[in-house]
Amino acid sequence: QVHLVESGGGLVQAGDSLRLSCAASVRTGSRYSMGWFRQAPGKERELIGAISWSGGNSYYADPVKGRFTISRDNAENKNNLKPEDTAVYYCAAHSGPQYWMSSYYSRGGYWGQGTQVTVSS
C-alpha cells in the first residue's frame, strides 16, 4: 500500500517558478515508479513527468520539457510557468518498472489528492 500527499500548489504569475512535493509512505524495500499528472479544466488528465524507481531515468511530456524537473524525492520543480500550466497536479505511483506508461498508473496505481496550481498572465 502506498499513501501519497501533494503539497506546494498555489497562485503564481507567468514566468514564476514553483516546487511541488509528494510525500510518499511506502513499505520498506518497495520499489515504485513515480509520476506527475495534471488535469486542466475541460481537459483529460495527462502524464507530464515520471521517474524510475532508481531515479536514473525520467520522462517529460513535450509541453513541459526543459521547464519542469522531477526528482526521486518526489518533488517536481516548475520553472517559467505559463497560464496554460494552470491545472490540478497529482502525483502517482505504481509497482512496475514502466515509469513512462500512464496506463500503469491508472490501472492499480496509487494517487494523491491533488494540488491546484494557477498561473496568472
Side-chain angles (χ1 to χ4, degrees):
Q1 188 73 14
V2 178
H3 184 59
L4 305 172
V5 179
E6 303 95 337
S7 61
L11 173 63
V12 297
Q13 293 188 335
D16 284 353
S17 298
L18 193 67
R19 178 181 173 90
L20 298 186
S21 296
C22 178
S25 298
V26 301
R27 287 186 303 181
T28 302
S30 299
R31 298 177 177 180
Y32 291 92
S33 295
M34 301 294 300
W36 280 94
F37 289 74
R38 70 183 181 186
Q39 187 166 21
K43 295 187 177 181
E44 293 187 355
R45 186 172 59 192
E46 60 176 343
L47 176 64
I48 57 169
I51 193 165
S52 62
W53 71 266
S54 67
N57 297 286
S58 58
Y59 158 83
Y60 295 97
D62 286 344
V64 305
K65 197 172 295 183
R67 298 189 298 122
F68 291 9
T69 57
I70 188 171
S71 60
R72 191 60 212 181
D73 61 357
N74 302 333
E76 185 175 57
N77 292 312
K78 310 178 187 305
N79 298 315
N80 190 21
L81 286 163
K82 304 176 181 180
E84 51 264 42
D85 294 321
T86 295
V88 178
Y89 285 74
Y90 301 88
C91 66
H94 72 82
S95 58
Q98 302 88 347
Y99 60 94
W100 66 94
M101 295 288 289
S102 61
S103 59
Y104 279 75
Y105 297 95
S106 300
R107 298 197 306 260
Y110 303 92
W111 292 83
Q113 83 287 352
T115 185
Q116 176 72 46
V117 174
T118 303
V119 184
S120 64
S121 57

